[in-house]
Amino acid sequence: METGGCRMGGAEPGAPAMITLEDLDGMAEESPDSARHSHGGSPEEAERMEDEEQERLLGYWQSVGRGHQVDVPRDMAEPIQQLTRNNNPQERQTIPFTLIQRKEKLGDLLYEKRQYGKAKWACIKMKGKQYEQSICLGFMKLMKYICEQNSSGLYLGITIPIVTIVHTNESQSEMTQSVTVAYYLPDVLQDQPPHPFDSDIIIEEWPSTIIYSRSFRGITNEDSIMREINLLAEILESPELCLQDTFIIAGYTNPAAANRLNEIWFLQRP
C-alpha cells in the first residue's frame, strides 16, 4: 500500500533512515497525549510536546523528500501527525474483491484473476518529471483529504492498496508522464463520500472490473513498472483481452519500506 506520501527517513546526518508503517506505531506511542496520561503533564506541556512531535515527523518526511526532488510543505505537518497517530494496522481496510482464479507453476504464484466491484474512489491526476515524484505529490494531497480536510471534518481511515493508474505508448515501450493516484473510500463512506476541500481531488465511481494481478517487491519507478508490465504480458495466456495502454500499480506497503510489496494489475476489457 503506498500509504505514506514520500519516502520518510532521517536519523544520521546526510544518511536518512527508512521508516516503515510499523515504525509509525512506535512513533504514535510517543505522542503528547500518551505522554501526558503517563506523566501527568499540564495542558501547556502537552501543547509544547505536540508542537515538537509535529516538527519531528515533518523533519523525517522532508529529509528524504529533498532527495527525491519533492518538497514536503509545512502545511503537511498536521496530516502527517494525524496519520501517524491513527496508524493501526488492524484498522486498515483491504479493498474487497472476489478471487476468480490463481495461476501457479511449480508452487509459485504467477498471477491472480480477481473481480473488484463498483466503488467510489478519491482520485487526483498528476504529471511530474518522474513517477515517484507524481505519486508523492498526489498522495500528499490525498492525505490531507483523509486527514479531516473534507466536508465531514473527520479522519477517514486508511484503505489498502493505494493505487496508481499509469499509461504507456502503444508499443508498451515507455510510460507517459500522466498518472492518477487513487484512494478507495472505506465501505462506510461509499454511499455518501465526504467532499474534498481540494478541487484537484475528484470523487469517481469506478465500474466493476476484472483484473489480472501479479505481485512484486522493491521500488516502483519507470523501469521497474515497465519490466513488470512486460513480464505479466508474457505470462498471461491472452493478454490481448486486457487494455494495452492502461495499467494499475497497487501499493500495500509504505513507500519508505526498502522491500515494499506491490502488484501490477492488467485490466480486462469491458
Side-chain angles (χ1 to χ4, degrees):
M1 126 194 175
E2 307 243 10
T3 54
C6 303
R7 293 190 181 190
M8 297 174 288
E12 298 296 329
M18 291 301 179
I19 300 177
T20 65
L21 283 171
E22 289 69 28
D23 296 323
L24 293 181
D25 296 333
M27 295 170 111
E29 292 173 0
E30 299 298 326
S31 68
D33 289 340
S34 62
R36 181 173 61 182
H37 292 311
S38 299
H39 304 292
S42 66
E44 292 77 12
E45 178 70 8
E47 183 177 356
R48 181 186 66 79
M49 293 180 67
E50 181 164 343
D51 291 342
E52 290 178 354
E53 181 194 39
Q54 282 193 1
E55 289 298 315
R56 177 169 60 94
L57 294 174
L58 181 63
Y60 275 118
W61 284 57
Q62 288 177 330
S63 62
V64 176
R66 285 190 293 269
H68 292 270
Q69 294 80 50
V70 174
D71 177 39
V72 181
R74 179 157 293 277
D75 66 3
M76 285 298 299
E78 188 171 341
I80 288 170
Q81 183 184 48
Q82 190 168 29
L83 187 68
T84 302
R85 290 181 176 179
N86 287 280
N87 182 54
N88 186 344
Q90 287 72 37
E91 295 179 0
R92 297 176 201 142
Q93 179 189 340
T94 301
I95 301 172
F97 64 86
T98 300
L99 180 63
I100 299 173
Q101 178 189 10
R102 285 172 59 93
K103 181 71 172 181
E104 297 183 356
K105 182 178 182 180
L106 300 177
D108 292 331
L109 179 62
L110 297 180
Y111 65 83
E112 287 187 346
K113 183 179 181 181
R114 309 170 184 163
Q115 181 163 20
Y116 286 86
K118 180 175 67 173
K120 293 185 177 70
W121 297 70
C123 308
I124 183 162
K125 293 184 178 180
M126 304 297 298
K127 190 175 183 180
K129 293 182 179 179
Q130 296 178 334
Y131 172 80
E132 287 214 343
Q133 284 182 326
S134 294
I135 62 172
C136 277
L137 295 170
F139 189 75
M140 279 196 290
K141 283 178 169 284
L142 288 176
M143 191 172 157
K144 293 179 184 179
Y145 170 65
I146 294 168
C147 296
E148 299 185 4
Q149 294 190 25
N150 58 71
S151 58
S152 74
L154 300 175
Y155 174 77
L156 305 184
I158 286 293
T159 59
I160 55 174
I162 296 292
V163 306
T164 308
I165 303 173
V166 301
H167 304 279
T168 67
N169 56 10
E170 292 184 2
S171 63
Q172 293 184 4
S173 60
E174 63 180 11
M175 287 171 50
T176 64
Q177 290 185 325
S178 178
V179 303
T180 298
V181 186
Y183 159 74
Y184 175 89
L185 286 150
D187 291 344
V188 295
L189 301 175
Q190 282 287 320
D191 289 340
Q192 292 184 311
H195 180 73
F197 291 162
D198 187 338
S199 61
D200 290 338
I201 298 174
I202 306 297
I203 304 299
E204 297 182 357
E205 185 171 79
W206 293 2
S208 177
T209 306
I210 292 176
I211 66 105
Y212 296 83
S213 169
R214 178 177 170 82
S215 64
F216 66 100
R217 287 191 174 273
I219 63 171
T220 52
N221 55 31
E222 289 82 353
D223 291 339
S224 65
I225 291 170
M226 291 308 306
R227 181 175 65 249
E228 295 300 327
I229 287 174
N230 292 329
L231 181 58
L232 184 53
E234 293 177 1
I235 293 172
L236 292 177
E237 293 85 352
S238 303
E240 68 277 2
L241 297 179
C242 300
L243 298 178
Q244 298 296 296
D245 62 353
T246 303
F247 309 90
I248 285 180
I249 309 302
Y252 290 84
T253 317
N254 193 303
N259 195 31
R260 73 181 81 161
L261 175 61
N262 316 286
E263 292 176 340
I264 181 74
W265 291 1
F266 278 31
L267 311 177
Q268 184 168 297
R269 296 179 186 274

